[in-house]
Amino acid sequence: MHATVIKRLRARLEASLARSGLTLPWWVPVGAAVGIVFAIVALAQRGALLPPTPLALTGLLEAASILVWAVTGEIAPPWLKSSTIIAAVAIQLTHPVVPDFAPIVLVFLTAEMAAIARPRLSVVVAGVSIAVLGWAGIWSGLVGYPVYIVAVLLGYTAGCVLRWYVRALDAERGKQDAVREQAVLAERQRIAREVHDVVAHSLSITLLHLTGARRALQQDRDVDEAVDGLTEAERVGRVAMADIRRAVGLLARTPAGTRPLPGADDIAGLVERTRAAGVDVHYEQQGEPSTVGASAGLGLYRIAQESLANIAKHAPDATARIHLHVDQESTRLIVRNGLPATCSDAASGGAGLPGMRERAAQLGADLSAGPLGGQWVVDITVPCPQSRTQVSS
């Protein structure tokens, strides 16, 4: 039962802090409320020194902020709490005792205001507290008031340290949230590029097969050729669906499958599938693609895939040439195809070129894409990690 009550009080206190715009942990106001214990002791010390009315007034003033929270659930404004407590302590110090616990209440108040209030108000509270202690020492005979003044200054310093710590913690949390949001956005963009590349290429190849099957039936009445085209279109569609499921599965916490991501050595197979769809593609390869890193190989494969998809979409009758050169310093991929007479920018207005450029930027590669000598040329050079390290050093 006690644990339930404590949990409810903690939840109510955290809600009050949130409504007040304070990012302090719940235990900070609880620690500040410990000052009420010293206030009670100070009242007990003056039970025989103060008349009943001033004694009750000081008790009410010191407990005012706690009563406000208990009744309304709202944390009392700092200026109100400071005014009531300083006034109560000033009344008590008209009759100092030895040892006196009333000044300790000012130490807790100064520390709390330095932590939660505006800097100007916290300085005013510390200054007024010191002035009250000095007045009590000079006019009322408070014993050891210099020690109490030093304690107030130490409380103010502790509150400022706590304020700095909370601000630093908030800044670190904000930084972590920003980094997390950027990582999520980057992952979404990467998955969007993967889906775009898969869908664009697969649909282009599937449409070519369907077009070939339609022509075979309409013009040549060749059922076997039509069936082969439809079969290949079905196969490409199934492969595309598997790739899309894998890409979308990256959004889940568990992997969607064990199929490896394509790399540079899979470009030859990509060319073969595109050629089987009816596009005249010639492929040349120098070096060993299997030595290309996984990230660089995936980027090159997607750029080749996007280029072939653009060719199948914008220039299906053109001759395309793909050249892959791999050496110890870099990997270079060049895709060329003839431009249709009615097309000056085969990839304008779509997501292909921006996606290529973003992939190239992530790989630290040099990319050029555009018309050149009557052809559309995509040229990307990816430096190997060793060469990048040597350049940076």
Side-chain angles (χ1 to χ4, degrees), residues 291-359:
T291 61
V292 181
S295 59
L298 176 61
L300 291 171
Y301 179 90
R302 292 307 187 197
I303 290 175
Q305 187 180 48
E306 176 65 25
S307 300
L308 291 174
N310 287 335
I311 294 171
K313 179 180 179 181
H314 299 286
D317 298 328
T319 299
R321 297 185 181 275
I322 297 181
H323 180 77
L324 180 66
H325 179 79
V326 182
D327 57 29
Q328 295 181 351
E329 296 183 355
S330 63
T331 302
R332 186 178 184 183
L333 176 70
I334 304 175
V335 183
R336 302 174 181 269
N337 66 278
L339 284 174
T342 58
C343 182
S344 60
D345 189 353
S348 63
L353 276 180
M356 289 184 187
R357 293 193 179 98
E358 191 169 351
R359 287 185 184 277

Short mmCIF file of all heavy atoms in Angstrom, two decimals, residues 291-359:
data_model
loop_
_atom_site.label_atom_id
_atom_site.label_comp_id
_atom_site.label_asym_id
_atom_site.label_seq_id
_atom_site.Cartn_x
_atom_site.Cartn_y
_atom_site.Cartn_z
N THR A 291 36.10 -8.83 -55.62
CA THR A 291 36.95 -8.11 -54.67
C THR A 291 36.37 -6.77 -54.25
O THR A 291 36.90 -6.13 -53.34
CB THR A 291 38.34 -7.89 -55.29
OG1 THR A 291 38.20 -7.10 -56.48
CG2 THR A 291 39.00 -9.21 -55.65
N VAL A 292 35.30 -6.33 -54.91
CA VAL A 292 34.67 -5.05 -54.55
C VAL A 292 33.89 -5.22 -53.24
O VAL A 292 33.24 -6.25 -53.02
CB VAL A 292 33.72 -4.58 -55.68
CG1 VAL A 292 33.08 -3.24 -55.31
CG2 VAL A 292 34.50 -4.46 -56.99
N GLY A 293 33.98 -4.24 -52.37
CA GLY A 293 33.28 -4.31 -51.09
C GLY A 293 31.78 -4.42 -51.24
O GLY A 293 31.22 -4.09 -52.29
N ALA A 294 31.12 -4.87 -50.16
CA ALA A 294 29.68 -5.11 -50.22
C ALA A 294 28.90 -3.84 -50.50
O ALA A 294 28.01 -3.80 -51.35
CB ALA A 294 29.22 -5.75 -48.92
N SER A 295 29.20 -2.74 -49.77
CA SER A 295 28.45 -1.50 -49.97
C SER A 295 28.71 -0.91 -51.34
O SER A 295 27.78 -0.46 -52.03
CB SER A 295 28.82 -0.49 -48.88
OG SER A 295 30.20 -0.21 -48.91
N ALA A 296 29.99 -0.91 -51.77
CA ALA A 296 30.30 -0.38 -53.10
C ALA A 296 29.68 -1.25 -54.19
O ALA A 296 29.15 -0.75 -55.18
CB ALA A 296 31.82 -0.30 -53.29
N GLY A 297 29.72 -2.58 -53.98
CA GLY A 297 29.12 -3.48 -54.98
C GLY A 297 27.63 -3.30 -55.10
O GLY A 297 27.07 -3.30 -56.21
N LEU A 298 26.94 -3.11 -53.96
CA LEU A 298 25.50 -2.89 -54.00
C LEU A 298 25.18 -1.58 -54.71
O LEU A 298 24.24 -1.52 -55.53
CB LEU A 298 24.93 -2.88 -52.58
CG LEU A 298 23.45 -2.55 -52.45
CD1 LEU A 298 22.60 -3.57 -53.18
CD2 LEU A 298 23.03 -2.47 -50.98
N GLY A 299 25.96 -0.52 -54.41
CA GLY A 299 25.72 0.75 -55.07
C GLY A 299 25.92 0.67 -56.58
O GLY A 299 25.11 1.20 -57.36
N LEU A 300 26.98 0.00 -57.02
CA LEU A 300 27.23 -0.15 -58.45
C LEU A 300 26.13 -0.97 -59.12
O LEU A 300 25.68 -0.66 -60.23
CB LEU A 300 28.60 -0.79 -58.68
CG LEU A 300 29.81 0.08 -58.31
CD1 LEU A 300 31.08 -0.75 -58.36
CD2 LEU A 300 29.92 1.28 -59.24
N TYR A 301 25.69 -2.01 -58.43
CA TYR A 301 24.63 -2.85 -58.99
C TYR A 301 23.35 -2.04 -59.16
O TYR A 301 22.68 -2.12 -60.20
CB TYR A 301 24.39 -4.05 -58.08
CG TYR A 301 23.28 -4.97 -58.56
CD1 TYR A 301 23.56 -6.03 -59.41
CD2 TYR A 301 21.97 -4.78 -58.16
CE1 TYR A 301 22.56 -6.89 -59.85
CE2 TYR A 301 20.96 -5.61 -58.59
CZ TYR A 301 21.26 -6.67 -59.43
OH TYR A 301 20.25 -7.50 -59.88
N ARG A 302 22.98 -1.24 -58.15
CA ARG A 302 21.75 -0.47 -58.24
C ARG A 302 21.85 0.61 -59.32
O ARG A 302 20.86 0.90 -60.01
CB ARG A 302 21.44 0.17 -56.89
CG ARG A 302 21.08 -0.81 -55.79
CD ARG A 302 19.96 -1.72 -56.20
NE ARG A 302 19.51 -2.56 -55.09
CZ ARG A 302 18.78 -3.65 -55.22
NH1 ARG A 302 18.44 -4.07 -56.44
NH2 ARG A 302 18.41 -4.35 -54.18
N ILE A 303 23.02 1.20 -59.47
CA ILE A 303 23.18 2.21 -60.52
C ILE A 303 23.08 1.56 -61.89
O ILE A 303 22.44 2.10 -62.81
CB ILE A 303 24.51 2.96 -60.34
CG1 ILE A 303 24.43 3.85 -59.10
CG2 ILE A 303 24.86 3.79 -61.58
CD1 ILE A 303 25.72 4.54 -58.75
N ALA A 304 23.69 0.39 -62.06
CA ALA A 304 23.55 -0.33 -63.33
C ALA A 304 22.09 -0.74 -63.56
O ALA A 304 21.58 -0.65 -64.69
CB ALA A 304 24.45 -1.56 -63.33
N GLN A 305 21.41 -1.15 -62.52
CA GLN A 305 20.01 -1.55 -62.63
C GLN A 305 19.14 -0.37 -63.03
O GLN A 305 18.28 -0.49 -63.92
CB GLN A 305 19.55 -2.14 -61.29
CG GLN A 305 18.16 -2.73 -61.32
CD GLN A 305 17.78 -3.29 -59.96
OE1 GLN A 305 17.95 -2.62 -58.95
NE2 GLN A 305 17.28 -4.51 -59.93
N GLU A 306 19.37 0.78 -62.40
CA GLU A 306 18.60 1.98 -62.74
C GLU A 306 18.89 2.42 -64.18
O GLU A 306 17.98 2.84 -64.91
CB GLU A 306 18.93 3.10 -61.75
CG GLU A 306 18.27 4.42 -62.05
CD GLU A 306 16.75 4.36 -61.93
OE1 GLU A 306 16.25 3.48 -61.20
OE2 GLU A 306 16.08 5.19 -62.58
N SER A 307 20.15 2.34 -64.59
CA SER A 307 20.50 2.73 -65.95
C SER A 307 19.82 1.83 -66.97
O SER A 307 19.26 2.32 -67.98
CB SER A 307 22.02 2.67 -66.13
OG SER A 307 22.67 3.54 -65.23
N LEU A 308 19.83 0.53 -66.73
CA LEU A 308 19.17 -0.39 -67.66
C LEU A 308 17.66 -0.19 -67.66
O LEU A 308 17.01 -0.32 -68.71
CB LEU A 308 19.52 -1.83 -67.29
CG LEU A 308 20.99 -2.23 -67.53
CD1 LEU A 308 21.25 -3.63 -67.00
CD2 LEU A 308 21.33 -2.16 -69.01
N ALA A 309 17.10 0.13 -66.51
CA ALA A 309 15.66 0.40 -66.46
C ALA A 309 15.32 1.64 -67.28
O ALA A 309 14.31 1.67 -67.99
CB ALA A 309 15.21 0.57 -65.01
N ASN A 310 16.17 2.67 -67.18
CA ASN A 310 15.94 3.87 -67.99
C ASN A 310 16.07 3.58 -69.49
O ASN A 310 15.32 4.11 -70.31
CB ASN A 310 16.92 4.97 -67.59
CG ASN A 310 16.57 5.58 -66.24
OD1 ASN A 310 15.42 5.54 -65.83
ND2 ASN A 310 17.58 6.11 -65.56
N ILE A 311 17.03 2.72 -69.83
CA ILE A 311 17.19 2.35 -71.24
C ILE A 311 15.96 1.61 -71.74
O ILE A 311 15.43 1.88 -72.83
CB ILE A 311 18.46 1.50 -71.43
CG1 ILE A 311 19.71 2.35 -71.13
CG2 ILE A 311 18.54 0.95 -72.84
CD1 ILE A 311 20.99 1.54 -71.07
N ALA A 312 15.49 0.63 -70.95
CA ALA A 312 14.32 -0.14 -71.36
C ALA A 312 13.08 0.74 -71.46
O ALA A 312 12.18 0.49 -72.27
CB ALA A 312 14.08 -1.28 -70.37
N LYS A 313 13.03 1.80 -70.64
CA LYS A 313 11.86 2.67 -70.64
C LYS A 313 11.92 3.73 -71.73
O LYS A 313 10.92 3.98 -72.43
CB LYS A 313 11.73 3.34 -69.27
CG LYS A 313 10.56 4.29 -69.15
CD LYS A 313 10.51 4.90 -67.76
CE LYS A 313 9.36 5.88 -67.62
NZ LYS A 313 9.33 6.50 -66.27
N HIS A 314 13.08 4.35 -71.90
CA HIS A 314 13.18 5.51 -72.80
C HIS A 314 13.79 5.17 -74.16
O HIS A 314 13.52 5.88 -75.13
CB HIS A 314 14.03 6.61 -72.14
CG HIS A 314 13.45 7.12 -70.85
ND1 HIS A 314 12.35 7.94 -70.81
CD2 HIS A 314 13.82 6.91 -69.56
CE1 HIS A 314 12.08 8.24 -69.54
NE2 HIS A 314 12.95 7.62 -68.77
N ALA A 315 14.65 4.15 -74.23
CA ALA A 315 15.32 3.83 -75.50
C ALA A 315 15.44 2.33 -75.66
O ALA A 315 16.55 1.78 -75.69
CB ALA A 315 16.69 4.50 -75.54
N PRO A 316 14.32 1.60 -75.74
CA PRO A 316 14.41 0.13 -75.81
C PRO A 316 15.06 -0.37 -77.09
O PRO A 316 15.56 -1.50 -77.12
CB PRO A 316 12.94 -0.30 -75.71
CG PRO A 316 12.16 0.88 -76.20
CD PRO A 316 12.93 2.08 -75.77
N ASP A 317 15.07 0.43 -78.15
CA ASP A 317 15.66 -0.02 -79.41
C ASP A 317 17.13 0.37 -79.53
O ASP A 317 17.77 0.02 -80.54
CB ASP A 317 14.88 0.58 -80.59
CG ASP A 317 13.43 0.10 -80.60
OD1 ASP A 317 13.19 -1.04 -80.15
OD2 ASP A 317 12.55 0.88 -81.03
N ALA A 318 17.66 1.09 -78.55
CA ALA A 318 19.04 1.54 -78.64
C ALA A 318 19.98 0.43 -78.19
O ALA A 318 19.61 -0.49 -77.45
CB ALA A 318 19.25 2.78 -77.77
N THR A 319 21.22 0.52 -78.64
CA THR A 319 22.27 -0.41 -78.21
C THR A 319 22.96 0.15 -76.98
O THR A 319 23.38 1.32 -76.97
CB THR A 319 23.29 -0.62 -79.33
OG1 THR A 319 22.64 -1.19 -80.48
CG2 THR A 319 24.40 -1.55 -78.87
N ALA A 320 23.06 -0.67 -75.95
CA ALA A 320 23.67 -0.26 -74.70
C ALA A 320 24.97 -1.02 -74.48
O ALA A 320 25.09 -2.19 -74.86
CB ALA A 320 22.72 -0.50 -73.53
N ARG A 321 25.92 -0.34 -73.88
CA ARG A 321 27.21 -0.96 -73.57
C ARG A 321 27.55 -0.66 -72.10
O ARG A 321 27.49 0.50 -71.68
CB ARG A 321 28.31 -0.44 -74.49
CG ARG A 321 28.08 -0.76 -75.96
CD ARG A 321 29.26 -0.33 -76.82
NE ARG A 321 28.99 -0.63 -78.22
CZ ARG A 321 29.21 -1.81 -78.79
NH1 ARG A 321 29.71 -2.80 -78.07
NH2 ARG A 321 28.94 -2.00 -80.07
N ILE A 322 27.90 -1.70 -71.39
CA ILE A 322 28.27 -1.57 -69.98
C ILE A 322 29.70 -2.06 -69.83
O ILE A 322 30.04 -3.18 -70.27
CB ILE A 322 27.33 -2.38 -69.07
CG1 ILE A 322 25.91 -1.82 -69.16
CG2 ILE A 322 27.80 -2.33 -67.62
CD1 ILE A 322 24.92 -2.54 -68.28
N HIS A 323 30.51 -1.24 -69.20
CA HIS A 323 31.91 -1.59 -68.98
C HIS A 323 32.21 -1.47 -67.48
O HIS A 323 31.97 -0.42 -66.87
CB HIS A 323 32.84 -0.66 -69.77
CG HIS A 323 34.29 -0.98 -69.56
ND1 HIS A 323 34.92 -2.04 -70.18
CD2 HIS A 323 35.23 -0.36 -68.81
CE1 HIS A 323 36.19 -2.08 -69.81
NE2 HIS A 323 36.41 -1.06 -68.98
N LEU A 324 32.71 -2.55 -66.90
CA LEU A 324 33.07 -2.59 -65.48
C LEU A 324 34.57 -2.86 -65.39
O LEU A 324 35.05 -3.88 -65.86
CB LEU A 324 32.28 -3.67 -64.74
CG LEU A 324 32.58 -3.81 -63.24
CD1 LEU A 324 32.15 -2.56 -62.48
CD2 LEU A 324 31.90 -5.04 -62.66
N HIS A 325 35.27 -1.91 -64.76
CA HIS A 325 36.72 -2.04 -64.61
C HIS A 325 37.07 -2.02 -63.12
O HIS A 325 36.73 -1.06 -62.41
CB HIS A 325 37.44 -0.89 -65.33
CG HIS A 325 38.93 -0.95 -65.19
ND1 HIS A 325 39.73 -1.80 -65.94
CD2 HIS A 325 39.77 -0.26 -64.38
CE1 HIS A 325 41.00 -1.64 -65.59
NE2 HIS A 325 41.05 -0.70 -64.66
N VAL A 326 37.73 -3.07 -62.67
CA VAL A 326 38.09 -3.21 -61.25
C VAL A 326 39.61 -3.32 -61.15
O VAL A 326 40.22 -4.17 -61.82
CB VAL A 326 37.44 -4.45 -60.61
CG1 VAL A 326 37.80 -4.53 -59.13
CG2 VAL A 326 35.93 -4.41 -60.79
N ASP A 327 40.22 -2.45 -60.35
CA ASP A 327 41.65 -2.58 -60.06
C ASP A 327 41.88 -2.31 -58.58
O ASP A 327 40.93 -2.21 -57.79
CB ASP A 327 42.49 -1.65 -60.94
CG ASP A 327 42.08 -0.19 -60.80
OD1 ASP A 327 41.59 0.19 -59.71
OD2 ASP A 327 42.23 0.57 -61.77
N GLN A 328 43.13 -2.16 -58.20
CA GLN A 328 43.45 -2.02 -56.77
C GLN A 328 43.09 -0.65 -56.23
O GLN A 328 42.95 -0.48 -55.01
CB GLN A 328 44.93 -2.29 -56.55
CG GLN A 328 45.35 -3.73 -56.86
CD GLN A 328 46.83 -3.97 -56.60
OE1 GLN A 328 47.58 -3.03 -56.34
NE2 GLN A 328 47.25 -5.22 -56.67
N GLU A 329 42.97 0.35 -57.09
CA GLU A 329 42.72 1.70 -56.63
C GLU A 329 41.26 2.11 -56.68
O GLU A 329 40.80 2.90 -55.85
CB GLU A 329 43.55 2.69 -57.45
CG GLU A 329 45.05 2.51 -57.27
CD GLU A 329 45.84 3.55 -58.04
OE1 GLU A 329 45.18 4.33 -58.77
OE2 GLU A 329 47.07 3.58 -57.92
N SER A 330 40.52 1.59 -57.65
CA SER A 330 39.14 2.03 -57.81
C SER A 330 38.36 1.02 -58.64
O SER A 330 38.93 0.09 -59.22
CB SER A 330 39.08 3.41 -58.49
OG SER A 330 39.62 3.34 -59.80
N THR A 331 37.05 1.23 -58.66
CA THR A 331 36.13 0.46 -59.51
C THR A 331 35.32 1.46 -60.33
O THR A 331 34.71 2.37 -59.76
CB THR A 331 35.20 -0.41 -58.65
OG1 THR A 331 35.98 -1.27 -57.83
CG2 THR A 331 34.30 -1.25 -59.54
N ARG A 332 35.32 1.24 -61.64
CA ARG A 332 34.65 2.18 -62.53
C ARG A 332 33.58 1.46 -63.34
O ARG A 332 33.83 0.39 -63.90
CB ARG A 332 35.65 2.84 -63.48
CG ARG A 332 35.04 3.94 -64.35
CD ARG A 332 36.10 4.58 -65.23
NE ARG A 332 35.55 5.70 -65.99
CZ ARG A 332 36.24 6.40 -66.87
NH1 ARG A 332 37.52 6.09 -67.12
NH2 ARG A 332 35.66 7.41 -67.53
N LEU A 333 32.41 2.06 -63.37
CA LEU A 333 31.28 1.52 -64.14
C LEU A 333 30.84 2.58 -65.14
O LEU A 333 30.58 3.72 -64.76
CB LEU A 333 30.12 1.16 -63.21
CG LEU A 333 28.84 0.68 -63.90
CD1 LEU A 333 29.05 -0.69 -64.53
CD2 LEU A 333 27.68 0.63 -62.90
N ILE A 334 30.77 2.18 -66.42
CA ILE A 334 30.33 3.08 -67.49
C ILE A 334 29.17 2.42 -68.22
O ILE A 334 29.28 1.27 -68.66
CB ILE A 334 31.47 3.40 -68.48
CG1 ILE A 334 32.69 3.99 -67.75
CG2 ILE A 334 30.98 4.36 -69.55
CD1 ILE A 334 33.87 4.21 -68.66
N VAL A 335 28.07 3.13 -68.34
CA VAL A 335 26.90 2.65 -69.08
C VAL A 335 26.61 3.66 -70.19
O VAL A 335 26.42 4.85 -69.91
CB VAL A 335 25.67 2.50 -68.15
CG1 VAL A 335 24.49 1.94 -68.94
CG2 VAL A 335 25.99 1.60 -66.97
N ARG A 336 26.60 3.17 -71.43
CA ARG A 336 26.34 4.03 -72.59
C ARG A 336 25.16 3.48 -73.38
O ARG A 336 25.01 2.27 -73.50
CB ARG A 336 27.56 4.11 -73.52
CG ARG A 336 28.83 4.62 -72.87
CD ARG A 336 30.00 4.51 -73.85
NE ARG A 336 31.25 4.96 -73.27
CZ ARG A 336 31.71 6.21 -73.34
NH1 ARG A 336 31.00 7.12 -74.01
NH2 ARG A 336 32.85 6.55 -72.78
N ASN A 337 24.38 4.36 -73.92
CA ASN A 337 23.32 3.95 -74.84
C ASN A 337 22.98 5.12 -75.75
O ASN A 337 23.13 6.29 -75.36
CB ASN A 337 22.06 3.49 -74.09
CG ASN A 337 21.40 4.62 -73.32
OD1 ASN A 337 21.83 4.94 -72.21
ND2 ASN A 337 20.36 5.21 -73.89
N GLY A 338 22.49 4.79 -76.94
CA GLY A 338 22.10 5.83 -77.88
C GLY A 338 20.84 6.54 -77.42
O GLY A 338 19.94 5.94 -76.83
N LEU A 339 20.78 7.83 -77.70
CA LEU A 339 19.62 8.64 -77.32
C LEU A 339 18.59 8.64 -78.43
O LEU A 339 18.94 8.79 -79.61
CB LEU A 339 20.04 10.09 -77.03
CG LEU A 339 20.74 10.34 -75.69
CD1 LEU A 339 21.21 11.79 -75.64
CD2 LEU A 339 19.81 10.05 -74.54
N PRO A 340 17.32 8.48 -78.07
CA PRO A 340 16.28 8.64 -79.09
C PRO A 340 16.26 10.06 -79.62
O PRO A 340 16.61 11.01 -78.90
CB PRO A 340 14.98 8.30 -78.35
CG PRO A 340 15.40 7.69 -77.07
CD PRO A 340 16.77 8.14 -76.77
N ALA A 341 15.82 10.22 -80.84
CA ALA A 341 15.80 11.55 -81.45
C ALA A 341 14.86 12.50 -80.73
O ALA A 341 15.06 13.71 -80.74
CB ALA A 341 15.41 11.44 -82.93
N THR A 342 13.83 11.98 -80.11
CA THR A 342 12.82 12.84 -79.46
C THR A 342 13.07 13.02 -77.98
O THR A 342 12.24 13.56 -77.27
CB THR A 342 11.42 12.22 -79.63
OG1 THR A 342 11.42 10.90 -79.08
CG2 THR A 342 11.07 12.16 -81.11
N CYS A 343 14.20 12.54 -77.50
CA CYS A 343 14.47 12.60 -76.05
C CYS A 343 15.81 13.27 -75.83
O CYS A 343 16.83 12.75 -76.26
CB CYS A 343 14.46 11.20 -75.43
SG CYS A 343 14.73 11.18 -73.66
N SER A 344 15.79 14.41 -75.18
CA SER A 344 17.03 15.12 -74.89
C SER A 344 17.57 14.81 -73.51
O SER A 344 18.75 14.96 -73.25
CB SER A 344 16.81 16.63 -75.01
OG SER A 344 15.81 17.06 -74.10
N ASP A 345 16.71 14.41 -72.61
CA ASP A 345 17.13 14.08 -71.24
C ASP A 345 16.29 12.91 -70.78
O ASP A 345 15.21 13.07 -70.25
CB ASP A 345 16.95 15.28 -70.31
CG ASP A 345 17.57 15.05 -68.95
OD1 ASP A 345 18.00 13.92 -68.70
OD2 ASP A 345 17.62 16.00 -68.15
N ALA A 346 16.81 11.72 -70.97
CA ALA A 346 16.02 10.52 -70.76
C ALA A 346 15.62 10.31 -69.33
O ALA A 346 14.68 9.60 -69.04
CB ALA A 346 16.80 9.31 -71.27
N ALA A 347 16.31 10.92 -68.43
CA ALA A 347 16.01 10.65 -67.01
C ALA A 347 15.51 11.86 -66.28
O ALA A 347 15.45 11.87 -65.07
CB ALA A 347 17.26 10.10 -66.31
N SER A 348 15.15 12.89 -67.00
CA SER A 348 14.71 14.11 -66.31
C SER A 348 13.35 13.91 -65.67
O SER A 348 12.51 13.22 -66.20
CB SER A 348 14.67 15.27 -67.31
OG SER A 348 13.71 15.00 -68.32
N GLY A 349 13.17 14.55 -64.54
CA GLY A 349 11.87 14.55 -63.88
C GLY A 349 11.60 13.33 -63.03
O GLY A 349 10.59 13.27 -62.38
N GLY A 350 12.49 12.34 -63.01
CA GLY A 350 12.24 11.15 -62.22
C GLY A 350 13.15 11.09 -61.01
O GLY A 350 13.87 12.03 -60.68
N ALA A 351 13.08 9.94 -60.32
CA ALA A 351 13.90 9.77 -59.11
C ALA A 351 15.19 9.04 -59.39
O ALA A 351 15.97 8.78 -58.47
CB ALA A 351 13.10 9.00 -58.05
N GLY A 352 15.45 8.67 -60.67
CA GLY A 352 16.62 7.87 -60.99
C GLY A 352 17.92 8.60 -60.74
O GLY A 352 18.78 8.13 -59.99
N LEU A 353 18.10 9.77 -61.38
CA LEU A 353 19.35 10.50 -61.25
C LEU A 353 19.62 10.97 -59.81
O LEU A 353 20.74 10.81 -59.32
CB LEU A 353 19.36 11.70 -62.20
CG LEU A 353 19.80 11.39 -63.64
CD1 LEU A 353 19.78 12.65 -64.48
CD2 LEU A 353 21.18 10.77 -63.66
N PRO A 354 18.63 11.55 -59.10
CA PRO A 354 18.89 11.90 -57.70
C PRO A 354 19.30 10.69 -56.86
O PRO A 354 20.17 10.80 -55.99
CB PRO A 354 17.55 12.49 -57.22
CG PRO A 354 16.92 13.01 -58.46
CD PRO A 354 17.31 12.05 -59.54
N GLY A 355 18.67 9.54 -57.12
CA GLY A 355 19.05 8.34 -56.39
C GLY A 355 20.47 7.91 -56.69
O GLY A 355 21.23 7.51 -55.80
N MET A 356 20.87 8.00 -57.98
CA MET A 356 22.25 7.67 -58.34
C MET A 356 23.24 8.60 -57.64
O MET A 356 24.26 8.16 -57.10
CB MET A 356 22.43 7.79 -59.86
CG MET A 356 21.73 6.71 -60.67
SD MET A 356 22.13 6.93 -62.43
CE MET A 356 21.03 5.71 -63.16
N ARG A 357 22.94 9.90 -57.67
CA ARG A 357 23.85 10.86 -57.06
C ARG A 357 23.96 10.64 -55.56
O ARG A 357 25.04 10.79 -54.96
CB ARG A 357 23.37 12.28 -57.36
CG ARG A 357 23.48 12.66 -58.83
CD ARG A 357 23.30 14.16 -59.04
NE ARG A 357 23.42 14.53 -60.44
CZ ARG A 357 22.41 14.72 -61.26
NH1 ARG A 357 21.16 14.58 -60.81
NH2 ARG A 357 22.59 15.05 -62.53
N GLU A 358 22.85 10.31 -54.92
CA GLU A 358 22.90 10.07 -53.48
C GLU A 358 23.69 8.83 -53.15
O GLU A 358 24.47 8.82 -52.19
CB GLU A 358 21.47 9.95 -52.94
CG GLU A 358 21.41 9.97 -51.43
CD GLU A 358 20.00 10.12 -50.90
OE1 GLU A 358 19.09 10.37 -51.71
OE2 GLU A 358 19.82 9.98 -49.68
N ARG A 359 23.54 7.79 -53.95
CA ARG A 359 24.34 6.58 -53.74
C ARG A 359 25.82 6.89 -53.93
O ARG A 359 26.68 6.44 -53.16
CB ARG A 359 23.91 5.48 -54.71
CG ARG A 359 22.58 4.84 -54.38
CD ARG A 359 22.30 3.68 -55.32
NE ARG A 359 20.99 3.12 -55.07
CZ ARG A 359 20.72 2.22 -54.11
NH1 ARG A 359 21.70 1.81 -53.33
NH2 ARG A 359 19.50 1.76 -53.95
#
